[in-house]
Amino acid sequence: LTASSEPEQLTPDDQQLTALKEHVAAGLSRPQKTLSSMYFYDDEGSRLFQQIMALPEYYPTRTEFGLLTQHQAALATALRPAAAQEPFFLIELGAGDGLKTKILLRHLLETNAVFTYVPVDISGAALDGLAASLGEELPELRVEPIVADYSAALQLMASRPGRKVVLFLGSNIGNFSPDDRQAFLQTLAGPLTTNDRLLIGFDLQKDPRFIRAAYDDSQGVTAAFNLNLLTRLNRELGADFDLAHWQHYTDYDPLAGTVRSFLVSTRAQAVHMAALQQTFDFRAWETIHTENSYKFTAPQIEVLAAEAGLRVTEFFTDSQDYFADVVLRP
Ligand code: AVI
């Protein structure tokens, strides 16, 4: 055997595991322990989120679905180039199952728009599923999936001639902290020209009790979604969280316009993580902050767009003003 001097090549899985380890070690060492909601979405978390979207209390998905259906013609007019036959790209960040986007795709095809749909995701498996379902339902649609992170995909698309329409639906923008949101919008806006457009979904501020109920449903699906993060750490980091001693807690703060979700330790306990060779102590009723879901007002949306060098051109909302799909341009 000869010793190799080759630098060790990390696979994408290794890199993700390293990132998770670093995140957990840092997040659980802070005075207010915190873990990112980004890590909710393993296979089980993605399945639970699908279930959340169908819950009676979780209004955002069906509201946005309704408003896209209601305003499809006006939305298509706002997004497609004025010259009917000018080709363009519809680039969707975090497409999921594409259920909502299919409303727009179908309308554009029916009105003979010349465009390519570019779903972007870091998971190749998610995109394969979407491409297969589109192939069956809309066989005439041109689809060019990109497996990459959002900013790499937008850089890649910048060199292609024609209007880029970037979709970021589903109130995903609400899960960023204000600083991260600003940085994200600037990254999105960076490669865009004045010919390009953005369509972003924003959940709006409304009856605080109604908002809170959406994140604390009566069937306990959201609780299971939050607690699944601990199951993930047990599996991937060899942690020994005992789920019998953890609870889901959530509240809406109208001052900040944020739903904040926590995992609560119901007793003093120590949790060991084999992969980190570290033990973390939790006091009785100590919390881990796991998610922010920001809710917005129309004036706030104008301000955060302006701060990213964008302006609002159309503001589509439902009859109850629960949710908005907003068209922006540089
Ligand atoms: C993905 N994101 C927009 C959801 C939300 O409403 O913030 C995630 C979620 N968390 C609990 N319920 C749903």
Side-chain angles (χ1 to χ4, degrees):
L1 283 177
T2 53
S4 164
S5 58
E6 289 283 301
E8 210 182 317
Q9 288 288 320
L10 288 181
T11 66
D13 281 357
D14 290 337
Q15 286 169 14
Q16 277 179 24
L17 186 61
T18 305
L20 176 65
K21 280 195 221 168
E22 286 170 2
H23 178 80
V24 171
L28 296 186
S29 301
R30 298 206 186 112
Q32 168 61 62
K33 294 184 170 71
T34 170
L35 294 171
S36 168
S37 58
M38 204 171 88
Y39 291 108
F40 283 159
Y41 304 91
D42 62 357
D43 289 348
E44 177 64 1
S46 302
R47 196 189 63 75
L48 287 165
F49 184 54
Q50 288 293 122
Q51 248 177 279
I52 287 175
M53 289 193 288
L55 287 170
E57 293 98 332
Y58 193 75
Y59 62 85
T61 308
R62 63 172 179 279
T63 308
E64 189 179 34
F65 189 89
L67 93 84
L68 289 172
T69 307
Q70 185 192 345
H71 298 294
Q72 55 185 293
L75 266 161
T77 305
L79 296 177
R80 63 193 283 184
Q85 289 309 299
E86 194 180 314
F88 65 102
F89 295 96
L90 204 64
I91 306 166
E92 181 160 27
L93 309 179
D97 60 8
L99 208 63
K100 283 175 289 193
T101 320
K102 282 175 193 163
I103 302 166
L104 262 183
L105 296 174
R106 225 173 255 123
H107 181 88
L108 287 166
L109 289 172
E110 282 164 11
T111 53
N112 301 317
V114 185
F115 70 105
T116 304
Y117 176 54
V118 183
V120 178
D121 205 296
I122 43 163
S123 155
L127 287 179
D128 288 347
L130 178 61
S133 93
L134 287 170
E136 271 177 31
E137 284 177 54
L138 303 172
E140 67 278 43
L141 180 70
R142 247 183 306 220
V143 187
E144 280 185 32
I146 299 185
V147 181
D149 69 36
Y150 298 162
S151 82
L154 289 177
Q155 296 289 352
L156 203 73
M157 291 304 295
S159 60
R160 308 275 293 266
R163 171 176 286 189
K164 320 294 178 310
V165 177
V166 180
L167 307 183
F168 193 55
L169 302 179
S171 91
N172 292 312
I173 191 98
N175 296 129
F176 288 110
S177 70
D179 284 352
D180 289 351
R181 176 173 66 226
Q182 196 54 28
F184 175 74
L185 284 176
Q186 272 161 1
T187 307
L188 284 196
L192 300 184
T193 70
T194 52
N195 184 38
D196 299 331
R197 299 288 181 270
L198 277 162
L199 179 67
I200 303 186
F202 291 90
D203 195 14
L204 300 178
Q205 293 185 9
K206 59 185 75 61
D207 179 348
R209 289 178 199 83
F210 191 74
I211 295 177
R212 185 176 54 199
Y215 293 84
D216 204 9
D217 66 277
S218 56
Q219 295 172 48
V221 183
T222 312
F225 177 66
N226 196 5
L227 287 159
N228 178 57
L229 186 52
L230 302 183
T231 307
R232 177 174 187 175
L233 300 187
N234 283 351
R235 185 182 61 246
E236 294 189 23
L237 300 186
D240 59 2
F241 283 102
D242 179 348
L243 267 65
H245 303 295
W246 290 89
Q247 284 176 359
H248 164 70
Y249 176 75
T250 197
D251 208 1
Y252 175 65
D253 171 3
L255 273 181
T258 321
V259 176
R260 293 200 183 86
S261 297
F262 302 88
L263 288 161
V264 185
S265 171
T266 60
R267 64 173 193 183
Q269 54 186 318
V271 174
H272 182 71
M273 298 211 195
L276 299 176
Q277 295 179 307
Q278 223 176 322
T279 299
F280 297 92
D281 291 319
F282 295 88
R283 287 174 276 110
W285 308 111
E286 185 170 0
T287 60
I288 307 175
H289 177 207
T290 52
E291 188 178 48
N292 287 316
S293 283
Y294 279 84
K295 311 299 167 191
F296 301 88
T297 63
Q300 282 172 351
I301 294 169
E302 298 274 354
V303 170
L304 65 93
E307 285 171 356
L310 296 165
R311 70 186 164 85
V312 172
T313 63
E314 270 92 10
F315 195 95
F316 294 98
T317 185
D318 54 286
S319 58
Q320 292 170 296
D321 280 343
Y322 280 174
F323 199 95
D325 275 315
V326 181
V327 182
L328 303 141
R329 56 166 293 183

